[in-house]
Amino acid sequence: MNLVSTRLTALMSALVVSNNLYAEETIELPAVEIISHADRLNSLSGSATILDQKTLDRDQVFNVNEALRKVPGVNVRDEDGFGLRPNIGIRGMNPFRSTKTLFLEDGLPLNFAPYGDNDIYYHPPVERYEGIEVMKGADLTQYGPQTLSGAINYLTPQITRKPGGFASFTGGNRDYLNGHMRYGGMVDKFGGMVDYIHKEGDGSRDNTFAKLDDVNLKGVIDINARHALIFRGDFYREDSQATFGLTEAEYRNFGPRYNPFKNDRFTTQRWATSATHEYHVNDDVTLSTSFYWSAFHRDWWRQMNQQPTDNQCGSGFRDARLNGAVVDVDSCNFTRGRLRDYEAWGIAPTLHAKHALFGVDSELDAGFRAHFENQYRLTEDGNTPTARTGTLIENNDRFADAYAGFVQNKFILGQWTATPGVRVESISYRRDNKLPGQQAVGANDMTEALPSFALTYSPLKQATLFFGMHRGFAPPRVEDSVYNNGNSVEIGPEKSWNYEVGVRSKPARGVKTDLTFFHNDYQALTVLGTVGGNDTPVAQGRALFQGIEFMNRLDAAELFNGSHNPYLQITYTWLPTAETTSAFHCLPLSDGSVSPLCPGGNVYGSGPGKRSPYAPEHLLTATVGYAHSNGFDIHLETVFVGEQFSDFMNLASGADHPNGPNSIEALSGQYGKINGYAIVNFASSYQVYKSLNLHVSIKNLLDNQYIADRVRGILPGSPRLVQAGFKYEF
């Protein structure tokens, strides 16, 4: 015990997450993984869900949206039909650009600018992962910066002792192609793996297409019993046609697949690498140190700037769209290019230690992270329909330096555990406007302490009761914190008090049931602003979200010890309360004035007692299927999303807009209720022999037409997609 005490004193400032498990056939990642195995879920102090490789393969998941709909509390909206830019909201948060969600890969930051610009314009193909973990409770204290609602951690494949791999191919309608190869293994103490994916196909509308390549590398050096090194590298590129939504009349006259903007183009490249050193001090203490770096380049050229009411192509062009007339995009001598380069890097030491310093068996998790981001942003206006260069109208460099640390100590008291903790975030922003004639430099900073507490009780091996509370936090974007003229904005971070109580249980073999009640009270919630559909200034207000999450899985083969397995899985979220408890106050413009779009200083129509936009009351994913021990599986999945409002006024229709039924706002497609909708998916697979698996799936089997979003005009849901393919292991 003296040795443990000495080590803790020396290493108290380091950072956590340690996983000393070494499976017989694999080398596992160190503590940078949030949850290493499904059976470790019960070791967590709050609500969590894991989607393992078996689930992802069985359901023929071809994008992250399909996967995350199986997790209670998660609302996922499709945008392009490929899941390239998913919109993910957890526990009532607006899913637009996933700005309220924390993304991790093997426990390390995944997004290109999690502190300064947490929009998801890059998302890796889901096929490259062997598992997805979602956490929503007090365990978020160990991660950050976004701890408002939940974290999604993607797990890269572990390296097998025996060299091997697989090749798979899937094809389908809408010119869909997906080729995937993976090979790796260990030779003595050295191991490596290479994973390559190529995907392409038409999107969910006319003139939308996507093509991507992803190369993922991983290596491990098992130095000795105390030391191990893990290396990761990734290259990703995308070339796609991507645009925004339809007006009410366009949707009515031409249908959901209509999209005239054939000249819009979206291209990206991303390079990333990371390295983790794991040091097993002894059987009770492990120190992990990770370094990570990524560079992301994005060019998006489009003819309409933000939404259907924009006037860059002229008032005649805009009015034709609002009235549902055919437009010739080649007659619009305008295109705007948003050219972005991001670089992020950091170092994160983590410590995990078993000890009894307080006379009680305990587990200490502590850590520190230094994180740095650079953004280089240009915007150019071209004067032809297909211009890819033009007049420079924006030249911004933006920077975020962040230092974070946390400490959590789990006291183990028989069937009880109690885990107090605290996280500290300290962030500095700088914005450099380099546009000639407008040069200005501004800065801002903030520091926040974020406490947490969790309690678990396991009266039976089959059940764990849990309670948790933590301070939710998300930093503002650089451009929301510092104006273009260099003035700092009086905006603080988003903050909430999050509570949950629930039970994880396995009442019988083959039966699993989770039930959680959550209560998230937001003292400061940021809406609209620079990531919204309208050019409304950034606004903050108060809101309350509370509801119930439920998940149940039944496998008859396990329950009755047979080879035939009828199975049923239900994931349900009920969100009866998604209330804005105050008006959302618009922050002043850079000259100190208030936007005319904010009458009385507030977002138009916002106020206490309104339902928060994009927060459906009901979310349901239900699967019924049959599997046999010979490798055959067939099932139907139904996904239901309840009705939701698209604005703070809670308008039933755009025609109800206060500016009148013939106003550009009413005709834009951005206002009005989104009706509830359901889609049915089918999937089947058969293991022909040990190494060969055949599969077929039909997404949106009934080809249901529905509206998924109105933020920047009407975005329709994805049409029917039929896929078939094989996977050969070697």
Short mmCIF file of all heavy atoms in Angstrom, two decimals, residues 494-549:
data_model
loop_
_atom_site.label_atom_id
_atom_site.label_comp_id
_atom_site.label_asym_id
_atom_site.label_seq_id
_atom_site.Cartn_x
_atom_site.Cartn_y
_atom_site.Cartn_z
N GLU A 494 -22.29 27.12 -22.76
CA GLU A 494 -23.56 26.49 -22.44
C GLU A 494 -23.38 25.67 -21.16
O GLU A 494 -22.40 24.96 -21.00
CB GLU A 494 -24.00 25.59 -23.59
CG GLU A 494 -24.22 26.35 -24.89
CD GLU A 494 -24.64 25.44 -26.02
OE1 GLU A 494 -25.83 25.12 -26.11
OE2 GLU A 494 -23.76 25.06 -26.81
N LYS A 495 -24.39 25.76 -20.27
CA LYS A 495 -24.28 25.07 -18.99
C LYS A 495 -25.62 24.49 -18.59
O LYS A 495 -26.67 25.07 -18.87
CB LYS A 495 -23.76 26.03 -17.91
CG LYS A 495 -22.31 26.44 -18.10
CD LYS A 495 -21.77 27.20 -16.91
CE LYS A 495 -22.36 28.58 -16.78
NZ LYS A 495 -21.70 29.36 -15.71
N SER A 496 -25.57 23.36 -17.92
CA SER A 496 -26.78 22.69 -17.45
C SER A 496 -26.47 21.90 -16.19
O SER A 496 -25.31 21.61 -15.87
CB SER A 496 -27.33 21.76 -18.53
OG SER A 496 -26.39 20.71 -18.81
N TRP A 497 -27.52 21.53 -15.47
CA TRP A 497 -27.44 20.54 -14.41
C TRP A 497 -28.19 19.31 -14.90
O TRP A 497 -29.39 19.37 -15.19
CB TRP A 497 -28.05 21.06 -13.11
CG TRP A 497 -27.19 22.06 -12.40
CD1 TRP A 497 -27.41 23.39 -12.25
CD2 TRP A 497 -25.95 21.77 -11.72
NE1 TRP A 497 -26.38 23.97 -11.54
CE2 TRP A 497 -25.47 23.00 -11.19
CE3 TRP A 497 -25.20 20.61 -11.51
CZ2 TRP A 497 -24.29 23.09 -10.47
CZ3 TRP A 497 -24.02 20.70 -10.80
CH2 TRP A 497 -23.57 21.92 -10.28
N ASN A 498 -27.48 18.21 -15.00
CA ASN A 498 -28.03 16.97 -15.57
C ASN A 498 -28.18 15.92 -14.47
O ASN A 498 -27.22 15.66 -13.73
CB ASN A 498 -27.11 16.42 -16.67
CG ASN A 498 -26.98 17.37 -17.85
OD1 ASN A 498 -27.61 18.43 -17.88
ND2 ASN A 498 -26.19 16.98 -18.82
N TYR A 499 -29.37 15.32 -14.40
CA TYR A 499 -29.65 14.28 -13.42
C TYR A 499 -30.21 13.06 -14.15
O TYR A 499 -30.93 13.19 -15.15
CB TYR A 499 -30.67 14.76 -12.39
CG TYR A 499 -30.29 16.01 -11.64
CD1 TYR A 499 -30.57 17.27 -12.16
CD2 TYR A 499 -29.64 15.93 -10.41
CE1 TYR A 499 -30.21 18.42 -11.47
CE2 TYR A 499 -29.28 17.08 -9.71
CZ TYR A 499 -29.56 18.31 -10.25
OH TYR A 499 -29.20 19.46 -9.57
N GLU A 500 -29.91 11.90 -13.62
CA GLU A 500 -30.50 10.68 -14.15
C GLU A 500 -30.59 9.64 -13.06
O GLU A 500 -29.79 9.62 -12.11
CB GLU A 500 -29.68 10.13 -15.32
CG GLU A 500 -28.28 9.68 -14.98
CD GLU A 500 -27.56 9.02 -16.15
OE1 GLU A 500 -28.07 9.09 -17.28
OE2 GLU A 500 -26.48 8.42 -15.92
N VAL A 501 -31.58 8.77 -13.16
CA VAL A 501 -31.74 7.62 -12.27
C VAL A 501 -32.27 6.48 -13.11
O VAL A 501 -33.12 6.68 -13.98
CB VAL A 501 -32.68 7.94 -11.08
CG1 VAL A 501 -34.07 8.34 -11.58
CG2 VAL A 501 -32.75 6.77 -10.12
N GLY A 502 -31.72 5.28 -12.91
CA GLY A 502 -32.14 4.19 -13.77
C GLY A 502 -31.69 2.84 -13.28
O GLY A 502 -31.11 2.70 -12.18
N VAL A 503 -31.95 1.83 -14.10
CA VAL A 503 -31.58 0.46 -13.78
C VAL A 503 -31.10 -0.23 -15.05
O VAL A 503 -31.66 -0.04 -16.13
CB VAL A 503 -32.77 -0.31 -13.16
CG1 VAL A 503 -33.97 -0.32 -14.11
CG2 VAL A 503 -32.37 -1.74 -12.79
N ARG A 504 -30.02 -0.98 -14.93
CA ARG A 504 -29.55 -1.90 -15.96
C ARG A 504 -29.77 -3.30 -15.43
O ARG A 504 -29.33 -3.61 -14.31
CB ARG A 504 -28.07 -1.68 -16.27
CG ARG A 504 -27.73 -0.33 -16.84
CD ARG A 504 -26.27 -0.30 -17.30
NE ARG A 504 -25.35 -0.42 -16.17
CZ ARG A 504 -24.81 0.61 -15.53
NH1 ARG A 504 -25.11 1.85 -15.90
NH2 ARG A 504 -23.97 0.42 -14.54
N SER A 505 -30.42 -4.16 -16.22
CA SER A 505 -30.75 -5.48 -15.68
C SER A 505 -30.71 -6.55 -16.75
O SER A 505 -30.93 -6.29 -17.93
CB SER A 505 -32.15 -5.46 -15.04
OG SER A 505 -33.15 -5.26 -16.01
N LYS A 506 -30.42 -7.76 -16.28
CA LYS A 506 -30.53 -8.98 -17.08
C LYS A 506 -31.31 -9.98 -16.24
O LYS A 506 -30.73 -10.86 -15.59
CB LYS A 506 -29.14 -9.52 -17.44
CG LYS A 506 -28.36 -8.63 -18.38
CD LYS A 506 -27.03 -9.25 -18.76
CE LYS A 506 -26.27 -8.37 -19.76
NZ LYS A 506 -24.96 -8.97 -20.13
N PRO A 507 -32.64 -9.85 -16.22
CA PRO A 507 -33.44 -10.67 -15.31
C PRO A 507 -33.40 -12.16 -15.62
O PRO A 507 -33.70 -12.97 -14.75
CB PRO A 507 -34.86 -10.11 -15.51
CG PRO A 507 -34.83 -9.44 -16.84
CD PRO A 507 -33.45 -8.92 -17.01
N ALA A 508 -33.03 -12.53 -16.85
CA ALA A 508 -32.93 -13.94 -17.22
C ALA A 508 -31.98 -14.06 -18.39
O ALA A 508 -31.66 -13.08 -19.06
CB ALA A 508 -34.31 -14.50 -17.58
N ARG A 509 -31.51 -15.27 -18.62
CA ARG A 509 -30.67 -15.50 -19.79
C ARG A 509 -31.42 -15.10 -21.04
O ARG A 509 -32.57 -15.48 -21.25
CB ARG A 509 -30.26 -16.96 -19.89
CG ARG A 509 -29.25 -17.42 -18.86
CD ARG A 509 -28.84 -18.86 -19.11
NE ARG A 509 -28.33 -19.05 -20.47
CZ ARG A 509 -28.05 -20.23 -21.01
NH1 ARG A 509 -28.27 -21.34 -20.31
NH2 ARG A 509 -27.57 -20.31 -22.25
N GLY A 510 -30.79 -14.31 -21.90
CA GLY A 510 -31.42 -13.90 -23.13
C GLY A 510 -32.35 -12.71 -22.99
O GLY A 510 -32.98 -12.33 -23.97
N VAL A 511 -32.41 -12.10 -21.82
CA VAL A 511 -33.28 -10.94 -21.61
C VAL A 511 -32.44 -9.81 -21.02
O VAL A 511 -31.74 -10.00 -20.02
CB VAL A 511 -34.45 -11.26 -20.66
CG1 VAL A 511 -35.34 -10.03 -20.48
CG2 VAL A 511 -35.26 -12.43 -21.21
N LYS A 512 -32.53 -8.65 -21.62
CA LYS A 512 -31.82 -7.47 -21.13
C LYS A 512 -32.77 -6.29 -21.15
O LYS A 512 -33.45 -6.05 -22.15
CB LYS A 512 -30.60 -7.18 -22.00
CG LYS A 512 -29.85 -5.89 -21.64
CD LYS A 512 -28.64 -5.70 -22.53
CE LYS A 512 -28.01 -4.33 -22.33
NZ LYS A 512 -27.60 -4.08 -20.95
N THR A 513 -32.84 -5.55 -20.05
CA THR A 513 -33.74 -4.41 -19.94
C THR A 513 -33.02 -3.25 -19.26
O THR A 513 -32.43 -3.43 -18.19
CB THR A 513 -35.00 -4.76 -19.13
OG1 THR A 513 -35.70 -5.82 -19.78
CG2 THR A 513 -35.92 -3.55 -19.01
N ASP A 514 -33.06 -2.08 -19.88
CA ASP A 514 -32.52 -0.85 -19.30
C ASP A 514 -33.63 0.19 -19.26
O ASP A 514 -34.41 0.33 -20.21
CB ASP A 514 -31.36 -0.29 -20.13
CG ASP A 514 -30.14 -1.19 -20.12
OD1 ASP A 514 -30.11 -2.13 -19.32
OD2 ASP A 514 -29.22 -0.95 -20.92
N LEU A 515 -33.70 0.94 -18.16
CA LEU A 515 -34.70 1.99 -18.00
C LEU A 515 -34.05 3.16 -17.28
O LEU A 515 -33.43 2.99 -16.23
CB LEU A 515 -35.90 1.48 -17.20
CG LEU A 515 -37.04 2.48 -16.95
CD1 LEU A 515 -37.71 2.86 -18.27
CD2 LEU A 515 -38.06 1.91 -15.98
N THR A 516 -34.17 4.38 -17.86
CA THR A 516 -33.53 5.56 -17.29
C THR A 516 -34.48 6.75 -17.35
O THR A 516 -35.13 6.98 -18.38
CB THR A 516 -32.24 5.92 -18.05
OG1 THR A 516 -31.36 4.81 -18.08
CG2 THR A 516 -31.54 7.11 -17.40
N PHE A 517 -34.57 7.48 -16.25
CA PHE A 517 -35.25 8.77 -16.23
C PHE A 517 -34.19 9.85 -16.18
O PHE A 517 -33.24 9.76 -15.40
CB PHE A 517 -36.16 8.90 -15.00
CG PHE A 517 -36.67 10.31 -14.78
CD1 PHE A 517 -37.70 10.82 -15.55
CD2 PHE A 517 -36.08 11.13 -13.83
CE1 PHE A 517 -38.16 12.12 -15.37
CE2 PHE A 517 -36.53 12.43 -13.64
CZ PHE A 517 -37.57 12.92 -14.41
N PHE A 518 -34.32 10.89 -17.03
CA PHE A 518 -33.33 11.96 -17.05
C PHE A 518 -34.02 13.32 -16.90
O PHE A 518 -35.18 13.50 -17.31
CB PHE A 518 -32.49 11.92 -18.33
CG PHE A 518 -33.27 12.12 -19.60
CD1 PHE A 518 -33.49 13.39 -20.12
CD2 PHE A 518 -33.80 11.03 -20.28
CE1 PHE A 518 -34.20 13.58 -21.29
CE2 PHE A 518 -34.53 11.21 -21.45
CZ PHE A 518 -34.72 12.49 -21.96
N HIS A 519 -33.29 14.26 -16.33
CA HIS A 519 -33.77 15.63 -16.09
C HIS A 519 -32.59 16.56 -16.35
O HIS A 519 -31.66 16.61 -15.54
CB HIS A 519 -34.27 15.75 -14.65
CG HIS A 519 -34.68 17.15 -14.25
ND1 HIS A 519 -35.98 17.57 -14.22
CD2 HIS A 519 -33.93 18.22 -13.84
CE1 HIS A 519 -36.03 18.83 -13.81
NE2 HIS A 519 -34.80 19.24 -13.58
N ASN A 520 -32.62 17.27 -17.48
CA ASN A 520 -31.54 18.17 -17.86
C ASN A 520 -32.06 19.60 -17.85
O ASN A 520 -32.90 19.97 -18.67
CB ASN A 520 -30.99 17.83 -19.25
CG ASN A 520 -30.27 16.49 -19.28
OD1 ASN A 520 -30.15 15.81 -18.27
ND2 ASN A 520 -29.80 16.10 -20.45
N ASP A 521 -31.54 20.39 -16.94
CA ASP A 521 -31.99 21.76 -16.73
C ASP A 521 -30.90 22.71 -17.22
O ASP A 521 -29.81 22.77 -16.64
CB ASP A 521 -32.27 21.99 -15.24
CG ASP A 521 -32.93 23.33 -14.97
OD1 ASP A 521 -33.14 24.10 -15.92
OD2 ASP A 521 -33.21 23.61 -13.78
N TYR A 522 -31.19 23.45 -18.31
CA TYR A 522 -30.20 24.31 -18.95
C TYR A 522 -30.35 25.75 -18.46
O TYR A 522 -31.39 26.38 -18.67
CB TYR A 522 -30.35 24.27 -20.47
CG TYR A 522 -29.88 22.96 -21.06
CD1 TYR A 522 -30.69 21.84 -21.04
CD2 TYR A 522 -28.61 22.85 -21.61
CE1 TYR A 522 -30.26 20.64 -21.56
CE2 TYR A 522 -28.17 21.65 -22.13
CZ TYR A 522 -29.00 20.55 -22.10
OH TYR A 522 -28.56 19.36 -22.61
N GLN A 523 -29.30 26.25 -17.81
CA GLN A 523 -29.27 27.66 -17.42
C GLN A 523 -28.81 28.53 -18.58
O GLN A 523 -29.13 29.72 -18.63
CB GLN A 523 -28.33 27.87 -16.23
CG GLN A 523 -28.85 27.30 -14.92
CD GLN A 523 -28.74 25.78 -14.89
OE1 GLN A 523 -27.68 25.23 -15.17
NE2 GLN A 523 -29.83 25.12 -14.58
N ALA A 524 -28.07 27.96 -19.52
CA ALA A 524 -27.61 28.69 -20.71
C ALA A 524 -27.53 27.69 -21.86
O ALA A 524 -26.68 26.81 -21.87
CB ALA A 524 -26.26 29.35 -20.46
N LEU A 525 -28.43 27.84 -22.81
CA LEU A 525 -28.45 27.00 -24.01
C LEU A 525 -28.34 27.92 -25.21
O LEU A 525 -29.13 28.85 -25.37
CB LEU A 525 -29.75 26.19 -24.07
CG LEU A 525 -29.90 25.25 -25.27
CD1 LEU A 525 -28.85 24.15 -25.26
CD2 LEU A 525 -31.30 24.65 -25.29
N THR A 526 -27.36 27.65 -26.06
CA THR A 526 -27.12 28.49 -27.23
C THR A 526 -27.88 27.93 -28.43
O THR A 526 -27.84 26.74 -28.70
CB THR A 526 -25.62 28.56 -27.55
OG1 THR A 526 -24.92 29.09 -26.42
CG2 THR A 526 -25.36 29.46 -28.75
N VAL A 527 -28.57 28.83 -29.15
CA VAL A 527 -29.33 28.41 -30.32
C VAL A 527 -29.06 29.38 -31.46
O VAL A 527 -28.53 30.48 -31.26
CB VAL A 527 -30.84 28.37 -30.03
CG1 VAL A 527 -31.15 27.33 -28.99
CG2 VAL A 527 -31.34 29.74 -29.57
N LEU A 528 -29.48 28.95 -32.64
CA LEU A 528 -29.34 29.77 -33.85
C LEU A 528 -27.90 30.23 -34.02
O LEU A 528 -27.00 29.42 -34.01
CB LEU A 528 -30.32 30.95 -33.79
CG LEU A 528 -31.79 30.54 -33.64
CD1 LEU A 528 -32.67 31.77 -33.49
CD2 LEU A 528 -32.27 29.73 -34.81
N GLY A 529 -27.69 31.54 -34.13
CA GLY A 529 -26.33 32.03 -34.29
C GLY A 529 -25.70 31.53 -35.58
O GLY A 529 -26.37 31.27 -36.57
N THR A 530 -24.40 31.37 -35.56
CA THR A 530 -23.66 31.09 -36.78
C THR A 530 -23.88 29.69 -37.31
O THR A 530 -23.45 29.39 -38.42
CB THR A 530 -22.16 31.31 -36.52
OG1 THR A 530 -21.77 30.52 -35.39
CG2 THR A 530 -21.86 32.76 -36.24
N VAL A 531 -24.49 28.79 -36.54
CA VAL A 531 -24.73 27.45 -37.05
C VAL A 531 -26.18 27.22 -37.41
O VAL A 531 -26.57 26.14 -37.81
CB VAL A 531 -24.28 26.36 -36.04
CG1 VAL A 531 -22.82 26.47 -35.77
CG2 VAL A 531 -25.08 26.45 -34.76
N GLY A 532 -27.04 28.24 -37.26
CA GLY A 532 -28.45 28.09 -37.55
C GLY A 532 -28.77 28.31 -39.01
O GLY A 532 -27.95 28.72 -39.81
N GLY A 533 -30.04 28.04 -39.35
CA GLY A 533 -30.44 28.21 -40.73
C GLY A 533 -30.58 29.67 -41.13
O GLY A 533 -30.38 30.02 -42.27
N ASN A 534 -30.95 30.54 -40.19
CA ASN A 534 -31.09 31.96 -40.49
C ASN A 534 -29.88 32.70 -39.97
O ASN A 534 -29.16 32.21 -39.10
CB ASN A 534 -32.36 32.51 -39.84
CG ASN A 534 -33.61 31.86 -40.41
OD1 ASN A 534 -33.81 31.84 -41.60
ND2 ASN A 534 -34.45 31.32 -39.54
N ASP A 535 -29.69 33.92 -40.47
CA ASP A 535 -28.55 34.71 -40.02
C ASP A 535 -28.90 35.51 -38.76
O ASP A 535 -28.50 36.66 -38.60
CB ASP A 535 -28.12 35.67 -41.14
CG ASP A 535 -27.50 34.90 -42.29
OD1 ASP A 535 -26.87 33.87 -42.02
OD2 ASP A 535 -27.66 35.33 -43.43
N THR A 536 -29.65 34.92 -37.87
CA THR A 536 -29.98 35.54 -36.59
C THR A 536 -28.74 35.54 -35.70
O THR A 536 -28.03 34.55 -35.65
CB THR A 536 -31.12 34.77 -35.91
OG1 THR A 536 -32.22 34.70 -36.80
CG2 THR A 536 -31.56 35.47 -34.64
N PRO A 537 -28.49 36.62 -34.96
CA PRO A 537 -27.33 36.62 -34.07
C PRO A 537 -27.42 35.50 -33.04
O PRO A 537 -28.50 34.99 -32.74
CB PRO A 537 -27.41 38.00 -33.40
CG PRO A 537 -28.21 38.84 -34.32
CD PRO A 537 -29.19 37.91 -34.96
N VAL A 538 -26.30 35.11 -32.52
CA VAL A 538 -26.27 34.05 -31.53
C VAL A 538 -27.15 34.45 -30.34
O VAL A 538 -27.21 35.61 -29.94
CB VAL A 538 -24.82 33.77 -31.08
CG1 VAL A 538 -24.21 34.97 -30.39
CG2 VAL A 538 -24.76 32.54 -30.20
N ALA A 539 -27.89 33.49 -29.81
CA ALA A 539 -28.83 33.76 -28.73
C ALA A 539 -28.72 32.67 -27.67
O ALA A 539 -28.41 31.52 -27.97
CB ALA A 539 -30.25 33.83 -29.27
N GLN A 540 -29.00 33.06 -26.43
CA GLN A 540 -28.99 32.11 -25.32
C GLN A 540 -30.25 32.26 -24.50
O GLN A 540 -30.83 33.35 -24.38
CB GLN A 540 -27.76 32.33 -24.43
CG GLN A 540 -26.48 31.78 -24.99
CD GLN A 540 -25.35 31.75 -23.97
OE1 GLN A 540 -25.29 32.57 -23.06
NE2 GLN A 540 -24.45 30.81 -24.12
N GLY A 541 -30.67 31.14 -23.92
CA GLY A 541 -31.83 31.14 -23.05
C GLY A 541 -31.82 29.91 -22.16
O GLY A 541 -30.85 29.14 -22.14
N ARG A 542 -32.91 29.72 -21.44
CA ARG A 542 -33.04 28.61 -20.51
C ARG A 542 -34.03 27.59 -21.07
O ARG A 542 -34.99 27.94 -21.77
CB ARG A 542 -33.51 29.11 -19.14
CG ARG A 542 -32.56 30.11 -18.50
CD ARG A 542 -33.18 30.69 -17.23
NE ARG A 542 -33.38 29.66 -16.22
CZ ARG A 542 -32.51 29.39 -15.24
NH1 ARG A 542 -31.38 30.09 -15.15
NH2 ARG A 542 -32.75 28.46 -14.35
N ALA A 543 -33.80 26.31 -20.72
CA ALA A 543 -34.69 25.25 -21.21
C ALA A 543 -34.62 24.06 -20.27
O ALA A 543 -33.65 23.88 -19.52
CB ALA A 543 -34.31 24.85 -22.63
N LEU A 544 -35.66 23.23 -20.34
CA LEU A 544 -35.74 22.03 -19.51
C LEU A 544 -36.12 20.85 -20.39
O LEU A 544 -37.08 20.92 -21.15
CB LEU A 544 -36.78 22.21 -18.41
CG LEU A 544 -37.06 20.99 -17.51
CD1 LEU A 544 -35.81 20.63 -16.70
CD2 LEU A 544 -38.25 21.25 -16.60
N PHE A 545 -35.35 19.76 -20.27
CA PHE A 545 -35.62 18.53 -21.00
C PHE A 545 -35.66 17.38 -20.00
O PHE A 545 -34.70 17.19 -19.23
CB PHE A 545 -34.54 18.26 -22.04
CG PHE A 545 -34.41 19.33 -23.08
CD1 PHE A 545 -33.65 20.47 -22.84
CD2 PHE A 545 -35.05 19.23 -24.30
CE1 PHE A 545 -33.52 21.47 -23.79
CE2 PHE A 545 -34.94 20.22 -25.26
CZ PHE A 545 -34.18 21.34 -25.00
N GLN A 546 -36.74 16.64 -20.00
CA GLN A 546 -36.80 15.47 -19.14
C GLN A 546 -37.67 14.40 -19.79
O GLN A 546 -38.61 14.71 -20.52
CB GLN A 546 -37.32 15.82 -17.75
CG GLN A 546 -38.70 16.39 -17.68
CD GLN A 546 -39.09 16.78 -16.26
OE1 GLN A 546 -38.26 16.84 -15.35
NE2 GLN A 546 -40.36 17.04 -16.06
N GLY A 547 -37.31 13.15 -19.50
CA GLY A 547 -38.05 12.06 -20.11
C GLY A 547 -37.53 10.71 -19.68
O GLY A 547 -36.77 10.59 -18.69
N ILE A 548 -37.91 9.70 -20.42
CA ILE A 548 -37.60 8.30 -20.08
C ILE A 548 -36.98 7.63 -21.31
O ILE A 548 -37.45 7.80 -22.44
CB ILE A 548 -38.86 7.55 -19.64
CG1 ILE A 548 -39.37 8.10 -18.29
CG2 ILE A 548 -38.61 6.05 -19.53
CD1 ILE A 548 -40.69 7.51 -17.85
N GLU A 549 -35.94 6.85 -21.05
CA GLU A 549 -35.30 6.01 -22.08
C GLU A 549 -35.50 4.55 -21.69
O GLU A 549 -35.31 4.17 -20.53
CB GLU A 549 -33.81 6.31 -22.17
CG GLU A 549 -33.50 7.75 -22.56
CD GLU A 549 -32.05 8.11 -22.36
OE1 GLU A 549 -31.32 7.33 -21.72
OE2 GLU A 549 -31.65 9.20 -22.83
#
